[in-house]
Amino acid sequence: MALIREVRGHAPVIGENTFLAETAVVLGDVTIGRDCSIWYNAVLRGDVNKIVIGDRTNIQDGAVLHTIYDKAKHPSQTIIGNDVSVGHNAVVHGAVIEDNCLIGMGAVLLDNAHIPSGCIIAAGALVLSNAQLEPNSVYAGVPARKVKEITPEQRDEIVRRTAHDYMLYASWFKEDATEK
């Protein structure tokens, strides 16, 4: 069973039909939407400020979500929209990610970065603090730079398909749990 814990008077709120892997950690001021999946060794640490995740979003194995303290000079919150995939071992630290985005494996998104709808952040990319990216674009590198724009067809094939595939994958684990 996932570790779900209240911190500083904030208890996580988890939407219907959301899969939490046994080793997932969800702490404090965290709100997770419907039909999401939080995978093995993912850590959502809402101890110092809020984390909000929309519907049909997946946080893959080893990903870490955190923020800057709400009483700091420049606080941050992690806000993630609908139909977003956060890849294995990615770090989202106080960034805002709008709907229909794909965050690649090992990518790092820093405080108050804004990732608009339809973006793909390549594996291993580093999005710097306060970065304001353009919608429907691919970003790669250290620091991340725009590589190209993506078409609506590419967005459907890569971004939306990945988010919906993870809903299928989560259903396999839910079925296994109910069979025992």
Side-chain angles (χ1 to χ4, degrees), residues 7 10 15 32 39 44 47 53 59 63-65 67-68 73 80 82 96 99 112 123 126 128 131 158 163 166 168 171:
V7 177
H10 299 286
I32 302 171
W39 290 87
L44 286 63
D47 56 345
I53 297 172
I59 309 299
V64 175
L65 280 58
T67 65
I68 291 180
K73 184 174 181 181
I80 300 176
N82 301 321
V96 174
D99 299 343
N112 299 306
L126 171 63
L128 298 175
I158 299 168
Y166 266 85
L168 171 66
S171 75

Side-chain angles (χ1 to χ4, degrees), residues 68-89:
I68 291 180
Y69 188 39
D70 59 0
K71 293 183 178 20
K73 184 174 181 181
H74 300 286
S76 65
Q77 298 176 349
T78 294
I79 310 294
I80 300 176
N82 301 321
D83 300 299
V84 173
S85 295
V86 176
H88 310 291
N89 293 315

Side-chain angles (χ1 to χ4, degrees), residues 27-39:
L27 306 171
D29 194 357
V30 176
T31 302
I32 302 171
R34 298 173 49 101
D35 301 312
C36 293
S37 56
I38 311 301
W39 290 87

Side-chain angles (χ1 to χ4, degrees), residues 116-143:
S117 182
C119 278
I120 297 174
I121 307 301
L126 171 63
V127 178
L128 298 175
S129 294
N130 303 309
Q132 301 293 310
L133 307 187
E134 295 177 30
N136 302 312
S137 300
V138 177
Y139 285 82
V142 178

Side-chain angles (χ1 to χ4, degrees), residues 20 26 28 37 44 48 92 95 98 143 156:
L20 297 174
V26 183
S37 56
L44 286 63
V48 300
V92 180
E98 292 184 5
D156 287 344

